[in-house]
């Protein structure tokens, strides 16, 4: 089973930056990055959880419209880490950010949000105005 551990959250002022990390199965030598699709989600207070960004094996990416041009998803398949660089942060970006995975059976960017089955515990991002 894949285990996901997020880190890097914090409190910043509007316009600030953070880099989130998601370590996948750090101690499991059986984990093969190409067997899974990873993505970042977020859940703001009182709102549903939705997908922020996803990345495919060829490096192609998909972003939620509200974060395009400000957030960047990337993946280090040697270290088994998924990143999310958050720039030009706004108060509306305040949320718990989650890393999620689904076993890959199609192109990663084709998965719907509700198809992800493996979740980390999340990391809090708070942006003050």
């Amino acid at each position: 089973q894949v285990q996901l551990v997020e880190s890097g959250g914090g409190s910043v002022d509007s316009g600030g930056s953070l880099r989130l990390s998601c370590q996948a199965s750090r101690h499991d030598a059986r984990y093969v990055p190409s067997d899974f699709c990873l993505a970042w989600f977020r859940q703001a207070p009182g709102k549903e959880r939705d997908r922020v960004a996803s990345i495919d094996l060829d490096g192609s990416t998909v972003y939620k419209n509200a974060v395009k041009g400000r957030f960047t998803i990337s993946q280090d398949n040697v270290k088994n880490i998924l990143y999310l660089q958050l720039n030009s942060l706004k108060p509306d970006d305040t949320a718990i950010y989650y890393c999620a995975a689904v076993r890959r059976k199609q192109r990663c960017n084709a998965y719907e949000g509700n198809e992800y089955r493996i979740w980390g515990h999340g990391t809090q991002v708070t942006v003050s105005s």
Side-chain angles (χ1 to χ4, degrees):
Q1 177 71 316
V2 176
Q3 293 185 334
L4 305 173
V5 179
E6 303 96 333
S7 61
S11 296
V12 297
D13 292 332
S14 183
S17 298
L18 288 170
R19 188 175 81 156
L20 308 183
S21 299
C22 171
Q23 177 71 63
S25 293
R26 182 174 183 176
H27 300 295
D28 187 350
R30 299 168 296 176
Y31 174 73
V32 179
S34 60
D35 286 349
F36 293 89
C37 294
L38 300 179
W40 285 101
F41 290 72
R42 70 183 182 186
Q43 186 168 20
K47 296 185 178 180
E48 293 186 354
R49 186 162 54 187
D50 61 0
R51 185 168 46 192
V52 175
S54 61
I55 185 168
D56 222 313
L57 296 181
D58 61 2
S60 60
T61 55
V62 176
Y63 294 95
K64 177 182 175 69
N65 284 339
V67 308
K68 283 181 179 178
R70 301 188 297 122
F71 292 7
T72 303
I73 187 172
S74 61
Q75 187 166 300
D76 184 331
N77 289 329
V78 174
K79 297 180 179 178
N80 295 343
I81 300 176
L82 182 73
Y83 297 103
L84 187 67
Q85 178 68 41
L86 288 65
N87 295 330
S88 302
L89 282 162
K90 306 174 181 179
D92 285 348
D93 295 319
T94 294
I96 300 174
Y97 284 70
Y98 297 90
C99 177
V102 59
R103 186 170 288 275
R104 188 177 69 87
K105 297 180 180 178
Q106 60 182 2
R107 284 186 59 83
C108 292
N109 292 331
Y111 281 100
E112 298 293 333
N114 59 9
E115 294 181 275
Y116 286 78
R117 292 288 181 265
I118 305 165
W119 295 86
H121 292 295
T123 185
Q124 176 72 48
V125 171
T126 303
V127 185
S128 57
S129 57

